[in-house]
Amino acid sequence: MGKNRTMSICLSDIPKDRILKHDNGKMYLPVSTYDLNEPDRFGNDFSVSIQLSKEEIERKKAGEDIKRVFIGNGKIWPDVEHTKPATAAETEDLPF
């Protein structure tokens, strides 16, 4: 079972030129997450930033100082099992 993540994203920090419009007319923002080694002072386990473009990745590889646009952070919550399969004894009285 996967891990549940909750996050908060600051919409006012998103540069409009980074929003991509798909052929279907929907708008997307490619994001990346980075898991922290230790929770920060607010208990966040990961950060959220705008994904670097191919051009930015190449410039970074060439040694240019490229800064990520940080837009949020979040927490990883432990898995919680809310249901479990019923036993045969628990279902024997069901009318179907």
Side-chain angles (χ1 to χ4, degrees), residues 46-92:
F46 63 95
S47 66
V48 183
S49 62
I50 297 175
Q51 187 176 331
L52 293 177
S53 68
K54 289 179 183 179
E55 295 80 17
E56 288 171 320
I57 292 170
E58 290 303 316
R59 291 182 9 227
K60 187 171 185 162
K61 285 180 183 177
E64 191 174 331
D65 186 26
I66 303 295
K67 301 287 186 198
R68 290 187 175 272
V69 178
F70 172 79
I71 57 172
N73 50 43
K75 297 179 180 178
I76 301 172
W77 298 94
D79 291 337
V80 178
E81 292 288 332
H82 294 287
T83 60
K84 62 180 181 178
T87 65
E90 294 170 323
T91 60
E92 69 184 27

Side-chain angles (χ1 to χ4, degrees), residues 29-48:
L29 179 69
V31 298
S32 296
T33 63
Y34 177 80
D35 291 348
L36 305 172
N37 291 330
E38 296 288 327
D40 68 11
R41 63 186 173 136
F42 302 108
N44 294 305
D45 300 303
F46 63 95
S47 66
V48 183

